[in-house]
Amino acid sequence: MKPLVSVLTPAYNRAAFISEAVESVLNQTYDNIEYIVIDDGSTDDTYNILQEYEDTGRLRLLTHKNRQNRGQSASLNLGLKAATGDYIVILDSDDRLHQDKLQKQVEFLEQNPGIGMVYGQAMAIDEGGKELFPIPPDNHVEPGDPNRLLLDCYMALPGGAMVRKTVFDRVGFFEEDFRASQDHDMVIRLAEAAPFAYVKGTVFYYRKHDDTISSQGLERRWRAGFEILNRAATRYPYKRSTLRKRRALLHFRMGQVYWKQGNVGRSAIHILLAGFGDPVRAVNVILGVEKPN
């Protein structure tokens, strides 16, 4: 028997893209799939579109009680509780999978029983589907070190990875208190719990939108980043240099946010803390040698 793959898609107001995401799962070359879509209280036509798919028996549609909007983490947790597969894949509702993704990643994990998570490349696309660039770049090499992943946040869990259900069972659920950066929090917890690997090649298409995150949204993201870092430091023996450099990067990002908000004083404090925490990287950023991740 082929292993069962549970694919989870949290969906909120993505009527323009949800059919494309769903079809990319239903048209996989791998056929032993349990597809669970969680509508997070959509107010556009997303829920109606998903109901039509459910009526055909091609996916299972879940909602929160009274069709409340509870956020991506709560939606994914609802899906994880319902999932029965050997492997878990998460796909955002505006992205799409490469048709061979499940087949290739199942084969890899079946051949490498000591690996808990495998990921591949995303191909960034614009709103119309035009291909832009690969993420990570073609020269990417995975060191298999949680320190590197915590520091640079380079892996896309939604779309890019396939994870053994036993590893998810070990690390628990997504943190519902986070309304931003919950994916980064989960991926480093997974990396702490089991070895992970990278296989070059496009496995999904990541849609880049023209709309930008508000300064309030960015502030929420980087504040969550500090909490994620603090929790990581208590769970796993990260290098002190990793923790220091990640904290410096978060201060740099907060400095950018406050600068855009016109709060020069608070911005300066965070920029100074970033420089003290990682002076080499600070100089490289100033000189344009490196762009912070």
Side-chain angles (χ1 to χ4, degrees):
M1 291 291 292
K2 293 181 180 179
L4 178 65
V5 178
S6 297
V7 181
L8 311 179
T9 294
Y12 177 70
N13 286 357
R14 289 298 188 190
F17 303 117
I18 189 62
S19 292
E20 194 173 344
V22 169
E23 291 292 338
S24 77
V25 177
L26 300 180
N27 292 321
Q28 286 290 297
T29 55
Y30 190 81
D31 58 6
N32 196 17
I33 302 171
E34 169 187 64
Y35 191 21
I36 301 171
V37 183
I38 311 93
D39 182 78
D40 190 25
S42 294
T43 57
D44 66 359
D45 206 31
T46 300
Y47 181 68
N48 295 329
I49 294 170
L50 292 171
Q51 278 189 311
E52 291 179 6
Y53 277 107
E54 185 183 43
D55 289 342
T56 67
R58 304 180 76 190
L59 59 78
R60 181 180 177 188
L61 177 59
L62 303 179
T63 63
H64 301 295
K65 185 177 180 180
N66 300 323
R67 293 203 54 231
Q68 293 176 309
N69 172 247
R70 295 189 53 200
Q72 188 180 66
S73 291
S75 298
L76 286 171
N77 288 342
L78 188 62
L80 284 173
K81 291 172 185 176
T84 62
D86 303 285
Y87 300 118
I88 303 291
V89 168
I90 296 171
L91 175 67
D92 281 344
S93 56
D94 53 349
D95 298 335
R96 67 175 193 260
L97 298 182
H98 187 283
Q99 65 178 0
D100 297 326
K101 173 199 160 69
L102 300 188
Q103 181 70 44
K104 290 180 178 179
Q105 293 189 330
V106 166
E107 289 177 355
F108 179 87
L109 289 174
E110 288 292 288
Q111 294 167 8
N112 296 273
I115 299 296
M117 172 172 59
V118 63
Y119 72 101
Q121 288 172 293
M123 176 58 68
I125 58 175
D126 64 17
E127 293 198 19
K130 179 182 178 182
E131 295 186 4
L132 303 173
F133 50 83
I135 308 170
D138 289 334
N139 62 356
H140 175 69
V141 176
E142 176 53 64
D145 182 3
N147 282 275
R148 168 83 182 279
L149 189 56
L150 175 66
L151 181 59
D152 288 330
C153 194
Y154 55 82
M155 186 197 302
L157 177 64
M162 177 179 285
V163 185
R164 295 185 191 274
K165 179 64 160 53
T166 53
V167 180
F168 264 113
D169 292 340
R170 200 179 312 162
V171 304
F173 295 106
F174 284 82
E175 176 53 72
E176 296 186 17
D177 286 342
F178 294 151
R179 284 297 186 117
S181 299
Q182 64 273 3
D183 297 334
H184 178 54
D185 175 63
M186 177 55 80
V187 81
I188 61 174
R189 286 159 55 196
L190 293 168
E192 292 164 3
F196 56 102
Y198 166 72
V199 177
K200 182 180 176 181
T202 299
V203 295
F204 83 113
Y205 298 87
Y206 165 67
R207 198 177 304 273
K208 292 181 66 66
H209 296 278
D210 290 335
D211 57 321
T212 57
I213 301 175
S214 68
S215 62
Q216 289 80 13
L218 287 171
E219 183 176 357
R220 183 167 59 247
R221 170 183 291 183
W222 302 124
R223 284 194 181 281
F226 282 106
E227 179 60 24
I228 290 168
L229 180 61
N230 292 336
R231 295 185 187 189
T234 65
R235 281 194 314 263
Y236 188 85
Y238 287 102
K239 297 176 183 176
R240 297 173 85 178
S241 60
T242 299
L243 300 174
R244 172 175 52 80
K245 290 178 180 180
R246 180 63 185 174
R247 194 173 302 279
L249 178 58
L250 292 169
H251 278 299
F252 178 80
R253 290 302 196 190
M254 289 297 292
Q256 288 181 310
V257 168
Y258 286 127
W259 180 264
K260 290 178 181 179
Q261 292 177 358
N263 193 331
V264 178
R266 295 187 75 175
S267 174
I269 291 172
H270 282 284
I271 294 296
L272 285 172
L273 290 171
F276 287 132
D278 193 352
V280 174
R281 198 171 199 180
V283 170
N284 287 338
V285 169
I286 292 171
L287 296 177
V289 175
E290 178 180 356
K291 292 183 178 180
N293 294 314

